[in-house]
């Protein structure tokens, strides 16, 4: 209930193993944010939770800590995801979420608040990605 995802874009929904793609996330602060949260974006196998690409850090390549966001402001946050060269061809999930790097060394994730005020998962799946063999030619 602090941050809203208002849209996203992906440059490639069918990358080959070893390729890079950009995931652009558009965020809006719903209120003043009092913590500097970090965001993760992963391409992973939902069955095994194996990550084949990952990006972690503060928004906008560490240049827009969430405590600096103004309510209503739209933040354009680009993540480069490099698909591991040994990724088996297949269909994978693109997962995003927010977490806090706590003083005790833990990484508690923020939960999604549903429209009725309930708590949902601590991640959001975006588009599925079909990873092609590394030697695939378009």
């Amino acid at each position: 209930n602090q941050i809203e995802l208002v849209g996203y874009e992906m440059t490639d929904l069918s990358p080959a193993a070893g390729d890079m793609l950009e995931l652009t996330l558009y965020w809006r602060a719903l209120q003043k944010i009092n913590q500097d949260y970090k965001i993760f974006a992963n391409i992973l196998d939902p069955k095994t939770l194996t990550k084949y690409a990952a990006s972690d850090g503060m928004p906008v390549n560490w240049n827009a800590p969430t405590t600096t966001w103004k309510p209503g402001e739209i933040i354009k946050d680009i993540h480069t995801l490099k698909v591991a060269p040994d990724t088996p061809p297949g269909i994978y999930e693109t997962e995003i979420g927010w977490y806090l790097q706590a003083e005790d060394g833990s990484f508690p994730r923020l939960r999604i608040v549903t429209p009725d005020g309930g708590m949902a998962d601590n991640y959001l799946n975006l588009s599925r990605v079909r990873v092609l063999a590394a030697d695939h030619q378009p």
Side-chain angles (χ1 to χ4, degrees):
N1 60 355
Q2 299 179 70
I3 301 169
E4 177 184 28
L5 178 67
V6 295
Y8 72 94
E9 300 170 322
M10 293 179 73
T11 56
D12 192 351
L13 293 175
S14 298
D19 283 357
M20 285 196 256
L21 62 97
E22 281 191 352
L23 171 62
T24 303
L25 304 167
Y26 297 92
W27 301 105
R28 178 175 25 231
L30 299 176
Q31 59 186 338
K32 175 90 174 105
I33 301 171
N34 296 319
Q35 301 277 350
D36 281 326
Y37 294 106
K38 293 182 178 150
I39 184 163
F40 64 87
N42 302 316
I43 293 174
L44 65 111
D45 182 338
K47 294 178 195 114
T48 64
L49 301 181
T50 303
K51 291 181 191 175
Y52 292 107
S55 171
D56 272 86
M58 285 191 189
V60 193
N61 199 28
W62 296 86
N63 291 309
T66 52
T67 54
T68 66
W69 294 11
K70 295 176 179 58
E73 177 182 23
I74 302 292
I75 303 294
K76 180 179 179 180
D77 183 26
I78 300 172
H79 295 262
T80 301
L81 296 168
K82 181 175 180 6
V83 181
D86 60 347
T87 303
I91 306 293
Y92 300 103
E93 295 286 350
T94 305
E95 170 192 78
I96 62 169
W98 290 94
Y99 65 93
L100 183 63
Q101 194 166 352
E103 290 180 19
D104 66 3
S106 66
F107 298 93
R109 289 183 177 186
L110 294 183
R111 302 278 304 267
I112 296 170
V113 178
T114 60
D116 64 0
M119 294 294 212
D121 293 325
N122 60 10
Y123 64 91
L124 176 66
N125 285 329
L126 301 176
S127 298
R128 288 191 175 121
V129 174
R130 178 175 183 234
V131 175
L132 306 172
D135 58 0
H136 178 78
Q137 298 295 320

